[in-house]
mmCIF file of all heavy atoms in Angstrom:
data_model
loop_
_atom_site.group_PDB
_atom_site.id
_atom_site.type_symbol
_atom_site.label_atom_id
_atom_site.label_comp_id
_atom_site.label_asym_id
_atom_site.label_seq_id
_atom_site.Cartn_x
_atom_site.Cartn_y
_atom_site.Cartn_z
ATOM 1 N N VAL A 351 -19.704 23.384 5.729
ATOM 2 C CA VAL A 351 -19.076 22.098 5.353
ATOM 3 C C VAL A 351 -19.354 21.876 3.909
ATOM 4 O O VAL A 351 -20.543 21.868 3.459
ATOM 5 C CB VAL A 351 -19.645 20.922 6.194
ATOM 6 C CG1 VAL A 351 -18.966 19.599 5.795
ATOM 7 C CG2 VAL A 351 -19.436 21.211 7.692
ATOM 8 N N ARG A 352 -18.248 21.571 3.093
ATOM 9 C CA ARG A 352 -18.478 21.314 1.673
ATOM 10 C C ARG A 352 -19.165 19.914 1.548
ATOM 11 O O ARG A 352 -18.497 18.942 1.861
ATOM 12 C CB ARG A 352 -17.166 21.307 0.935
ATOM 13 C CG ARG A 352 -16.793 22.747 0.540
ATOM 14 C CD ARG A 352 -15.431 22.799 -0.165
ATOM 15 N NE ARG A 352 -14.471 22.257 0.802
ATOM 16 C CZ ARG A 352 -13.135 22.238 0.576
ATOM 17 N NH1 ARG A 352 -12.624 22.586 -0.642
ATOM 18 N NH2 ARG A 352 -12.258 21.831 1.433
ATOM 19 N N THR A 353 -20.433 19.915 1.093
ATOM 20 C CA THR A 353 -21.158 18.729 1.144
ATOM 21 C C THR A 353 -21.700 18.285 -0.180
ATOM 22 O O THR A 353 -22.180 19.189 -0.934
ATOM 23 C CB THR A 353 -22.383 18.949 2.117
ATOM 24 O OG1 THR A 353 -21.942 19.480 3.319
ATOM 25 C CG2 THR A 353 -23.132 17.573 2.365
ATOM 26 N N GLU A 354 -21.691 17.011 -0.537
ATOM 27 C CA GLU A 354 -22.288 16.547 -1.751
ATOM 28 C C GLU A 354 -23.197 15.360 -1.262
ATOM 29 O O GLU A 354 -22.767 14.439 -0.562
ATOM 30 C CB GLU A 354 -21.165 16.046 -2.629
ATOM 31 C CG GLU A 354 -21.633 15.316 -3.871
ATOM 32 C CD GLU A 354 -22.157 16.280 -4.933
ATOM 33 O OE1 GLU A 354 -21.770 17.468 -4.987
ATOM 34 O OE2 GLU A 354 -23.118 15.904 -5.651
ATOM 35 N N ALA A 355 -24.466 15.464 -1.665
ATOM 36 C CA ALA A 355 -25.399 14.377 -1.274
ATOM 37 C C ALA A 355 -25.910 13.735 -2.547
ATOM 38 O O ALA A 355 -26.132 14.382 -3.580
ATOM 39 C CB ALA A 355 -26.553 14.920 -0.425
ATOM 40 N N ASP A 356 -26.167 12.488 -2.487
ATOM 41 C CA ASP A 356 -26.598 11.704 -3.641
ATOM 42 C C ASP A 356 -28.156 11.495 -3.532
ATOM 43 O O ASP A 356 -28.610 10.941 -2.473
ATOM 44 C CB ASP A 356 -25.936 10.432 -3.848
ATOM 45 C CG ASP A 356 -26.140 9.801 -5.245
ATOM 46 O OD1 ASP A 356 -27.264 9.412 -5.475
ATOM 47 O OD2 ASP A 356 -25.118 9.885 -6.010
ATOM 48 N N PHE A 357 -28.900 11.949 -4.514
ATOM 49 C CA PHE A 357 -30.368 11.750 -4.394
ATOM 50 C C PHE A 357 -30.929 10.700 -5.379
ATOM 51 O O PHE A 357 -32.108 10.652 -5.669
ATOM 52 C CB PHE A 357 -31.120 13.080 -4.671
ATOM 53 C CG PHE A 357 -30.672 14.276 -3.862
ATOM 54 C CD1 PHE A 357 -30.585 15.535 -4.341
ATOM 55 C CD2 PHE A 357 -30.380 14.065 -2.464
ATOM 56 C CE1 PHE A 357 -30.173 16.633 -3.613
ATOM 57 C CE2 PHE A 357 -29.964 15.162 -1.742
ATOM 58 C CZ PHE A 357 -29.892 16.406 -2.231
ATOM 59 N N THR A 358 -30.021 9.968 -6.024
ATOM 60 C CA THR A 358 -30.393 9.111 -7.095
ATOM 61 C C THR A 358 -31.020 7.770 -6.647
ATOM 62 O O THR A 358 -31.671 7.103 -7.434
ATOM 63 C CB THR A 358 -29.186 8.730 -8.001
ATOM 64 O OG1 THR A 358 -28.210 8.107 -7.200
ATOM 65 C CG2 THR A 358 -28.572 9.985 -8.654
ATOM 66 N N GLY A 359 -30.813 7.415 -5.396
ATOM 67 C CA GLY A 359 -31.376 6.109 -4.898
ATOM 68 C C GLY A 359 -30.561 4.902 -5.301
ATOM 69 O O GLY A 359 -31.104 3.795 -5.334
ATOM 70 N N LYS A 360 -29.314 5.119 -5.786
ATOM 71 C CA LYS A 360 -28.493 3.989 -6.268
ATOM 72 C C LYS A 360 -28.052 3.050 -5.055
ATOM 73 O O LYS A 360 -28.154 3.543 -3.897
ATOM 74 C CB LYS A 360 -27.270 4.553 -6.931
ATOM 75 C CG LYS A 360 -27.670 5.016 -8.361
ATOM 76 C CD LYS A 360 -26.421 5.334 -9.155
ATOM 77 C CE LYS A 360 -26.755 5.879 -10.555
ATOM 78 N NZ LYS A 360 -25.915 6.821 -11.019
ATOM 79 N N ASN A 361 -27.425 1.954 -5.361
ATOM 80 C CA ASN A 361 -26.916 1.037 -4.292
ATOM 81 C C ASN A 361 -25.660 1.538 -3.708
ATOM 82 O O ASN A 361 -24.946 2.430 -4.286
ATOM 83 C CB ASN A 361 -26.895 -0.425 -4.732
ATOM 84 C CG ASN A 361 -25.876 -0.546 -5.801
ATOM 85 O OD1 ASN A 361 -24.892 0.270 -5.914
ATOM 86 N ND2 ASN A 361 -26.040 -1.540 -6.707
ATOM 87 N N LEU A 362 -25.268 0.930 -2.655
ATOM 88 C CA LEU A 362 -24.027 1.421 -1.886
ATOM 89 C C LEU A 362 -22.783 1.385 -2.771
ATOM 90 O O LEU A 362 -21.988 2.320 -2.685
ATOM 91 C CB LEU A 362 -23.865 0.655 -0.560
ATOM 92 C CG LEU A 362 -22.793 1.212 0.345
ATOM 93 C CD1 LEU A 362 -23.210 2.623 0.832
ATOM 94 C CD2 LEU A 362 -22.609 0.290 1.594
ATOM 95 N N LYS A 363 -22.627 0.352 -3.568
ATOM 96 C CA LYS A 363 -21.447 0.218 -4.375
ATOM 97 C C LYS A 363 -21.317 1.430 -5.298
ATOM 98 O O LYS A 363 -20.193 2.043 -5.442
ATOM 99 C CB LYS A 363 -21.524 -1.121 -5.145
ATOM 100 C CG LYS A 363 -20.157 -1.477 -5.698
ATOM 101 C CD LYS A 363 -20.218 -2.931 -6.227
ATOM 102 C CE LYS A 363 -19.048 -3.109 -7.158
ATOM 103 N NZ LYS A 363 -19.369 -3.955 -8.283
ATOM 104 N N ALA A 364 -22.447 1.667 -5.933
ATOM 105 C CA ALA A 364 -22.436 2.817 -6.928
ATOM 106 C C ALA A 364 -22.158 4.167 -6.204
ATOM 107 O O ALA A 364 -21.420 4.995 -6.719
ATOM 108 C CB ALA A 364 -23.741 2.901 -7.648
ATOM 109 N N LEU A 365 -22.702 4.317 -4.976
ATOM 110 C CA LEU A 365 -22.511 5.542 -4.166
ATOM 111 C C LEU A 365 -21.042 5.678 -3.824
ATOM 112 O O LEU A 365 -20.460 6.793 -3.899
ATOM 113 C CB LEU A 365 -23.395 5.588 -2.994
ATOM 114 C CG LEU A 365 -24.924 5.622 -3.277
ATOM 115 C CD1 LEU A 365 -25.718 5.607 -1.955
ATOM 116 C CD2 LEU A 365 -25.255 6.854 -4.064
ATOM 117 N N MET A 366 -20.446 4.599 -3.344
ATOM 118 C CA MET A 366 -19.036 4.667 -2.921
ATOM 119 C C MET A 366 -18.147 5.076 -4.146
ATOM 120 O O MET A 366 -17.196 5.708 -4.002
ATOM 121 C CB MET A 366 -18.592 3.368 -2.251
ATOM 122 C CG MET A 366 -19.287 3.048 -0.948
ATOM 123 S SD MET A 366 -19.301 4.464 0.220
ATOM 124 C CE MET A 366 -17.652 4.286 0.930
ATOM 125 N N LYS A 367 -18.476 4.441 -5.293
ATOM 126 C CA LYS A 367 -17.737 4.699 -6.464
ATOM 127 C C LYS A 367 -17.738 6.198 -6.794
ATOM 128 O O LYS A 367 -16.736 6.854 -7.141
ATOM 129 C CB LYS A 367 -18.343 3.945 -7.665
ATOM 130 C CG LYS A 367 -17.303 3.381 -8.561
ATOM 131 C CD LYS A 367 -17.941 2.347 -9.457
ATOM 132 C CE LYS A 367 -17.364 2.457 -10.841
ATOM 133 N NZ LYS A 367 -17.965 1.502 -11.785
ATOM 134 N N ARG A 368 -18.957 6.781 -6.641
ATOM 135 C CA ARG A 368 -19.036 8.267 -6.953
ATOM 136 C C ARG A 368 -18.289 9.080 -5.899
ATOM 137 O O ARG A 368 -17.620 10.019 -6.269
ATOM 138 C CB ARG A 368 -20.517 8.635 -6.976
ATOM 139 C CG ARG A 368 -20.719 10.058 -7.301
ATOM 140 C CD ARG A 368 -21.983 10.426 -8.018
ATOM 141 N NE ARG A 368 -21.932 11.879 -8.139
ATOM 142 C CZ ARG A 368 -22.683 12.726 -7.536
ATOM 143 N NH1 ARG A 368 -23.576 12.312 -6.726
ATOM 144 N NH2 ARG A 368 -22.490 14.042 -7.647
ATOM 145 N N ALA A 369 -18.342 8.653 -4.618
ATOM 146 C CA ALA A 369 -17.619 9.365 -3.559
ATOM 147 C C ALA A 369 -16.094 9.319 -3.895
ATOM 148 O O ALA A 369 -15.408 10.300 -3.712
ATOM 149 C CB ALA A 369 -17.818 8.725 -2.209
ATOM 150 N N ASP A 370 -15.635 8.184 -4.380
ATOM 151 C CA ASP A 370 -14.239 8.006 -4.761
ATOM 152 C C ASP A 370 -13.871 9.010 -5.906
ATOM 153 O O ASP A 370 -12.810 9.661 -5.858
ATOM 154 C CB ASP A 370 -13.959 6.643 -5.250
ATOM 155 C CG ASP A 370 -13.243 5.778 -4.180
ATOM 156 O OD1 ASP A 370 -12.661 6.413 -3.315
ATOM 157 O OD2 ASP A 370 -13.340 4.539 -4.259
ATOM 158 N N ARG A 371 -14.722 9.016 -6.916
ATOM 159 C CA ARG A 371 -14.489 9.855 -8.083
ATOM 160 C C ARG A 371 -14.392 11.320 -7.669
ATOM 161 O O ARG A 371 -13.669 12.125 -8.245
ATOM 162 C CB ARG A 371 -15.631 9.624 -9.116
ATOM 163 C CG ARG A 371 -15.134 9.812 -10.497
ATOM 164 C CD ARG A 371 -16.146 9.345 -11.542
ATOM 165 N NE ARG A 371 -17.514 9.588 -11.269
ATOM 166 C CZ ARG A 371 -18.385 8.591 -11.290
ATOM 167 N NH1 ARG A 371 -17.999 7.370 -11.545
ATOM 168 N NH2 ARG A 371 -19.660 8.882 -11.062
ATOM 169 N N LEU A 372 -15.187 11.681 -6.658
ATOM 170 C CA LEU A 372 -15.220 13.099 -6.271
ATOM 171 C C LEU A 372 -14.049 13.387 -5.267
ATOM 172 O O LEU A 372 -13.834 14.542 -4.837
ATOM 173 C CB LEU A 372 -16.503 13.418 -5.503
ATOM 174 C CG LEU A 372 -17.772 13.386 -6.410
ATOM 175 C CD1 LEU A 372 -19.051 13.553 -5.500
ATOM 176 C CD2 LEU A 372 -17.737 14.640 -7.404
ATOM 177 N N HIS A 373 -13.351 12.353 -4.831
ATOM 178 C CA HIS A 373 -12.231 12.516 -3.835
ATOM 179 C C HIS A 373 -12.776 13.045 -2.550
ATOM 180 O O HIS A 373 -12.056 13.839 -1.853
ATOM 181 C CB HIS A 373 -11.084 13.364 -4.331
ATOM 182 C CG HIS A 373 -10.488 12.897 -5.627
ATOM 183 N ND1 HIS A 373 -9.882 11.639 -5.746
ATOM 184 C CD2 HIS A 373 -10.395 13.477 -6.867
ATOM 185 C CE1 HIS A 373 -9.446 11.526 -7.065
ATOM 186 N NE2 HIS A 373 -9.778 12.562 -7.701
ATOM 187 N N ALA A 374 -14.003 12.613 -2.124
ATOM 188 C CA ALA A 374 -14.567 13.136 -0.863
ATOM 189 C C ALA A 374 -13.667 12.606 0.285
ATOM 190 O O ALA A 374 -13.151 11.522 0.220
ATOM 191 C CB ALA A 374 -16.012 12.561 -0.749
ATOM 192 N N ARG A 375 -13.546 13.433 1.277
ATOM 193 C CA ARG A 375 -12.676 13.056 2.401
ATOM 194 C C ARG A 375 -13.404 12.028 3.325
ATOM 195 O O ARG A 375 -12.761 11.080 3.819
ATOM 196 C CB ARG A 375 -12.309 14.308 3.253
ATOM 197 C CG ARG A 375 -11.295 15.234 2.542
ATOM 198 C CD ARG A 375 -11.083 16.466 3.362
ATOM 199 N NE ARG A 375 -10.545 16.226 4.668
ATOM 200 C CZ ARG A 375 -10.741 17.067 5.694
ATOM 201 N NH1 ARG A 375 -11.501 18.186 5.543
ATOM 202 N NH2 ARG A 375 -10.262 16.795 6.876
ATOM 203 N N PHE A 376 -14.687 12.298 3.514
ATOM 204 C CA PHE A 376 -15.492 11.391 4.386
ATOM 205 C C PHE A 376 -16.808 11.062 3.661
ATOM 206 O O PHE A 376 -17.289 11.829 2.785
ATOM 207 C CB PHE A 376 -15.942 12.163 5.652
ATOM 208 C CG PHE A 376 -14.715 12.578 6.466
ATOM 209 C CD1 PHE A 376 -14.323 13.904 6.455
ATOM 210 C CD2 PHE A 376 -14.036 11.644 7.294
ATOM 211 C CE1 PHE A 376 -13.205 14.313 7.150
ATOM 212 C CE2 PHE A 376 -12.876 12.101 7.983
ATOM 213 C CZ PHE A 376 -12.528 13.400 7.966
ATOM 214 N N VAL A 377 -17.294 9.881 4.004
ATOM 215 C CA VAL A 377 -18.572 9.480 3.421
ATOM 216 C C VAL A 377 -19.505 9.178 4.635
ATOM 217 O O VAL A 377 -19.136 8.552 5.609
ATOM 218 C CB VAL A 377 -18.480 8.173 2.587
ATOM 219 C CG1 VAL A 377 -19.916 7.670 2.189
ATOM 220 C CG2 VAL A 377 -17.701 8.477 1.359
#
Side-chain angles (χ1 to χ4, degrees):
V351 178
R352 275 175 300 182
T353 309
E354 175 72 31
D356 195 290
F357 305 143
T358 59
K360 285 192 178 143
N361 64 28
L362 189 61
K363 195 169 160 215
L365 294 179
M366 293 311 280
K367 218 165 142 184
R368 183 151 177 250
D370 256 340
R371 211 169 35 236
L372 291 171
H373 303 300
R375 288 173 61 205
F376 300 101
V377 174

